Amino acid sequence: SSPHLVQVRERIRINGQPISKDLFNKYFWLVYNRLEETKDPAHASMPAYFRFLTIMAFHVFLQEKVDLAVVEVGIGGTYDCTNIIRAPVVCGVSSLGIDHTSILGDTMEKIAWQKGGIFKPGVPAFTVAQPERPLEVLRERAQERKCPLYLCPELDDFEEGCRALELGLAGAHQRSNATLALQLARTWLQRRGCQGEARGWGQGPDPTRAPEGSLGCLSCPGLGELKEVPPSTELLGGPVPLAPAFRLTDAMIQGLRDTEWLGRTQVLSHGPVTWYLDGAHTTSSIQACVRWFRQAALSQDKPHDGSEVRVLLFNATGDRDTAALLKLLVPCHFDYAVFCPNFTEVSVANNADQQNFNVTLENALTRCLENQRTWTRLLEEKVGQDPWLPSPLRVGGLLQPAPSRGSLLLVPPAPRPLNSPALVFPCLAQALRWVAQGRDPQLAAPTASGAHPHPAASSGAVLLREAAAVRVLVTGSLHLVGGALRLLEPALSQ
């Protein structure tokens, strides 16, 4: 899977666990040296980062003799280097979103075409509910490749009687991910002959996590056989057929309940500071993140013994439309918006796993300053449009110029600030320390030498130190979330 959050070893997992440092070191140099010895002397270049790790992952799985490899494509599908598998057991396409537009195209239809490139002749494929036109493109791609394509039923269809299925991952969008995972797992189990009357399921990792190496299966009761629809009838212009729901095994139910995936709708409670981490970085995933955050954090009762401060920590990379993403976050009513690069420290020389060698610190900071200006503009546009942001005339407030920000500050008596100051920090460590103000045991208190020049930083520090609850949403980039996790959960770096 990609990208990793804290350590590159996360990309290659066996039975749910990143391979050990010793195994990673062994296979890295084995693959590297073999490629170095056999490369074309006329075009003396090694595979790029992701391609090398993909080759290495396949080699690891072969050498370690895993029973099942779950492989997530890097970008798109058609031209992704993972798409060399000629005959997978099954393929899946999750909910589509606009991302990597410079590579995949700027419409959902173009992106759907790229995703459908993983379909293989005679290999069943599943997808979840999609907009009409992208789903039509997937159907056409399946027809081209003589691939039987099915639509996953809703997760509700798997719930027997009134028993609701519990998901370990928060957020309504995870329900479609879960139903896709169930269909993929079931198809593999059927390939292994686990259908009809049987005694139970052998112990192994849950079927909803990816990528897993070994999945042990003894037998699986109540799966029922999937009726394959002949390509001649399934692919002649009709709608995508709905796959049947089936009775879940106890292991499947437990797998859905116990699934953990760091950096996705993750909550870390560190005393008075609660961190909400979600690596959303597209419009659809940010929308899902906002729904989750509002339910998980903003629906909480206000502290009885003091104030609550809400902070947004954001960064975005690549060719993403940052303004569109930030606009979706405005309704969460943050007191402060903090922007910083994905670098954990200003100097990243000792932490290559967190470093992007394609982006300089100067370029990353320039992007953060643009995000700061965008956030300020979005809030100024929001004044007077949102009942939470009363107009100056209604509240009798005083508009005062703030030359340092080039904007206007509204200063009426109000239960919450009416304009969230936006701050830029040069690295994640400084940003997190400012937000936590020494109240998170994993983070040192901010030093005087690291004081932020923004006038709101010092007053904000007082509010953050005195607040009964500080709720921080970290989003916009999986790399940002990974850097935050490295600092907030040091054990992940071991």
Side-chain angles (χ1 to χ4, degrees):
S1 65
S2 63
H4 62 271
L5 292 173
V6 178
Q7 297 191 74
V8 67
R9 296 183 295 112
E10 299 166 27
R11 296 178 181 233
I12 305 173
R13 299 170 183 248
I14 295 180
N15 290 339
Q17 297 303 312
I19 62 172
S20 68
K21 291 181 180 180
D22 288 342
L23 272 186
F24 187 92
N25 185 58
K26 168 188 170 181
Y27 287 120
F28 177 92
W29 287 113
L30 194 155
V31 173
Y32 184 92
N33 291 333
R34 185 67 56 83
L35 290 171
E36 183 70 32
E37 294 164 3
T38 57
K39 68 185 179 185
D40 182 354
H43 304 89
S45 62
M46 294 286 279
Y49 185 83
F50 183 81
R51 291 185 180 187
F52 180 91
L53 289 172
T54 301
I55 296 168
M56 180 177 160
F58 287 143
H59 187 70
V60 169
F61 293 152
L62 288 168
Q63 294 300 308
E64 295 297 313
K65 297 180 172 57
V66 301
D67 301 295
L68 166 68
V70 181
V71 180
E72 180 200 31
V73 301
I75 295 177
T78 298
Y79 304 116
D80 193 80
C81 62
T82 59
N83 197 29
I84 64 167
I85 303 173
R86 295 187 182 93
V89 172
V90 63
C91 296
V93 176
S94 58
S95 182
L96 297 173
I98 297 288
D99 199 15
H100 303 294
T101 53
S102 62
I103 299 172
L104 304 182
D106 56 1
T107 68
M108 291 277 276
E109 290 79 4
K110 292 176 182 177
I111 291 172
W113 188 91
Q114 295 279 359
K115 300 286 185 181
I118 67 171
F119 296 159
K120 301 292 187 293
V123 174
F126 294 88
T127 189
V128 297
Q130 310 280 8
E132 182 178 354
R133 274 300 298 146
L135 183 61
E136 177 68 13
V137 172
L138 289 176
R139 192 198 64 78
E140 291 168 356
R141 291 287 270 165
Q143 181 178 357
E144 290 170 11
R145 292 169 172 260
K146 296 181 172 56
C147 161
L149 176 66
Y150 302 93
L151 198 62
C152 293
E154 297 291 331
L155 194 60
D156 293 355
D157 296 337
F158 292 91
E159 297 175 344
E160 301 173 7
C162 298
R163 184 186 62 175
L165 291 169
E166 296 178 47
L167 299 186
L169 299 178
H173 59 292
Q174 296 295 354
R175 294 181 68 81
S176 71
N177 290 335
T179 187
L180 178 60
L182 289 171
Q183 295 291 351
L184 299 181
R186 174 177 182 256
T187 303
W188 183 77
L189 292 169
Q190 287 184 309
R191 173 68 67 89
R192 293 283 292 241
C194 302
Q195 59 191 29
E197 293 301 321
R199 295 179 300 278
W201 182 336
Q203 293 302 308
D206 69 73
T208 65
R209 293 180 58 175
E212 306 292 355
S214 303
L215 182 59
C217 171
L218 299 178
S219 51
C220 316
L223 286 173
E225 187 173 358
L226 175 67
K227 297 292 191 294
E228 292 288 354
V229 181
S232 59
T233 59
E234 193 263 329
L235 297 173
L236 291 179
V240 177
L242 188 68
F246 52 89
R247 186 168 65 84
L248 303 185
T249 65
D250 290 341
M252 287 178 168
I253 295 169
Q254 180 183 349
L256 294 175
R257 184 177 64 242
D258 295 345
T259 297
E260 295 177 354
W261 200 248
L262 299 182
R264 296 290 190 180
T265 59
Q266 183 180 4
V267 180
L268 297 176
S269 297
H270 291 187
V273 185
T274 306
W275 306 90
Y276 300 84
L277 303 108
D278 191 85
H281 50 271
T282 66
T283 52
S284 56
S285 59
I286 287 286
Q287 286 172 333
C289 172
V290 167
R291 288 193 294 269
W292 162 71
F293 178 69
R294 296 181 91 163
Q295 181 179 7
L298 305 191
S299 62
Q300 300 294 315
D301 292 335
K302 296 286 179 60
H304 296 296
D305 54 346
S307 62
E308 172 189 280
V309 178
R310 303 171 192 162
V311 181
L312 170 67
L313 178 55
F314 180 92
N315 192 40
T317 59
D319 55 4
R320 297 178 176 89
D321 184 351
T322 308
L325 302 183
L326 288 173
K327 187 173 184 178
L328 296 171
L329 291 159
V330 169
C332 290
H333 304 155
F334 295 102
D335 299 298
Y336 295 94
V338 175
F339 303 96
C340 70
N342 293 338
F343 302 120
T344 50
E345 304 281 355
V346 174
S347 172
V348 290
N350 297 323
N351 185 27
D353 276 5
Q354 298 288 152
Q355 187 169 358
N356 184 342
F357 293 93
N358 298 318
V359 179
T360 66
L361 178 59
E362 182 180 0
N363 290 340
L365 280 172
T366 300
R367 182 78 175 265
C368 292
L369 291 168
E370 292 171 356
N371 293 342
Q372 180 190 39
R373 287 192 291 270
T374 299
W375 182 257
T376 302
R377 175 178 55 79
L378 287 169
L379 288 175
E380 289 168 348
E381 292 172 356
K382 196 71 173 172
V383 172
Q385 300 176 12
D386 191 319
W388 179 81
L389 294 171
S391 70
L393 292 177
R394 283 205 302 272
V395 299
L398 176 64
L399 282 173
Q400 296 180 343
S404 62
R405 290 178 64 222
S407 64
L408 296 176
L409 285 176
L410 185 60
V411 199
R416 297 186 67 79
L418 297 185
N419 206 350
S420 312
L423 311 177
V424 172
F425 288 86
C427 67
L428 254 168
Q430 289 190 26
L432 294 179
R433 287 175 193 141
W434 180 82
V435 172
Q437 289 296 315
R439 306 179 71 190
D440 185 325
Q442 298 293 354
L443 299 170
T447 60
S449 60
H452 195 288
H454 195 295
S458 56
S459 59
V462 175
L463 289 177
L464 289 164
R465 282 195 297 269
E466 295 179 352
V470 178
R471 307 193 190 280
V472 191
L473 175 62
V474 184
T475 192
S477 164
L478 278 166
H479 302 286
L480 178 77
V481 167
L485 275 173
R486 178 174 176 268
L487 296 167
L488 296 170
E489 297 281 273
L492 295 175
S493 300
Q494 302 306 312

